[in-house]
Amino acid sequence: MLSLPRSGSNWVRYWFEYFSDEKCTEKNILVPINVHGNSTEDQPVTLYKRHAISLVDLKERGIENLLLIVRDYKETFKRHARRKLENMDSFVENLKVFDAFNGNKLVVYYEDIVPDFNYIVKAMDFMGIKGNYKNIDVEAHREKSIKLYDDACKSASKDDL
């Protein structure tokens, strides 16, 4: 999974950890106990979440599927370029890597995944994660996800998704 900070990757990652018996490589775990009642800590790492990666790194890792999460470039610019204009290089480089990647790939947009859970389902299907999505209280999970992320990393978007 390739994205920039504040692009919704933790929202996707939350559902990945929740529905699978796998975890992300990130140090903090967003879902301590998944839908199956298993500790996420004890699960194998299968989702590599990066804010930047090269085609060489993808090939060396044997990555066959690449999910790119993109946020509107104007919002990304507003959040990242105010620190250093060079931060926008990652935005463009991620697009280039995604475009040049020869494996299976899917792009999802922050502006779609935040209000519409169907885009989360689309991302989960792409990653081969099947879940019982009926009767899910998405808003309760959103609050839980934001709190777990905020406790670990201090969410910058929690009050203004």
Side-chain angles (χ1 to χ4, degrees):
M1 181 169 51
L2 184 59
S3 67
L4 286 179
R6 293 174 217 28
S7 62
S9 59
N10 283 296
W11 184 228
V12 173
R13 195 179 122 215
Y14 173 89
W15 290 108
F16 176 87
E17 290 180 357
Y18 182 76
F19 282 117
S20 75
D21 282 321
E22 303 164 19
K23 70 178 175 183
C24 185
T25 58
E26 295 298 304
K27 294 176 185 173
N28 61 320
I29 293 172
L30 293 179
V31 180
I33 304 294
N34 68 14
V35 72
H36 309 290
N38 298 325
S39 167
T40 308
E41 184 69 40
D42 302 329
Q43 304 308 321
V45 172
T46 58
L47 177 64
Y48 298 96
K49 174 183 169 273
R50 297 288 179 262
H51 291 312
I53 196 164
S54 70
L55 283 172
V56 172
D57 289 337
L58 290 170
K59 186 175 182 178
E60 287 176 358
R61 289 182 180 269
I63 302 297
E64 297 175 0
N65 301 311
L66 183 60
L67 175 66
L68 174 66
I69 304 175
V70 178
R71 190 169 189 164
D72 182 299
Y73 72 92
K74 295 174 288 227
E75 181 66 22
T76 303
F77 182 84
K78 177 182 164 187
R79 291 178 180 269
H80 297 284
R82 67 178 172 198
R83 291 185 211 116
K84 284 174 84 175
L85 189 55
E86 294 84 29
N87 288 341
M88 286 303 291
D89 289 348
S90 292
F91 184 89
V92 174
E93 288 306 311
N94 284 352
L95 296 177
K96 288 179 181 178
V97 166
F98 183 80
D99 187 50
F101 181 71
N102 288 325
N104 300 315
K105 52 190 176 181
L106 175 70
V107 61
V108 293
Y109 298 91
Y110 173 88
E111 292 78 14
D112 292 332
I113 65 172
V114 169
D116 189 343
F117 188 70
N118 289 314
Y119 287 93
I120 295 292
V121 172
K122 184 177 181 180
M124 293 301 104
D125 286 346
F126 175 74
M127 292 188 284
I129 305 302
K130 302 298 179 199
N132 182 359
Y133 303 118
K134 294 181 181 183
N135 302 318
I136 293 281
D137 186 343
V138 174
E139 290 309 311
H141 279 279
R142 186 186 317 274
E143 289 176 23
K144 182 178 177 182
S145 167
I146 290 170
K147 180 174 180 354
L148 289 165
Y149 181 70
D150 192 43
D151 289 347
C153 302
K154 300 300 174 214
S155 171
S157 301
K158 71 178 179 178
D159 296 323
D160 185 12
L161 298 176

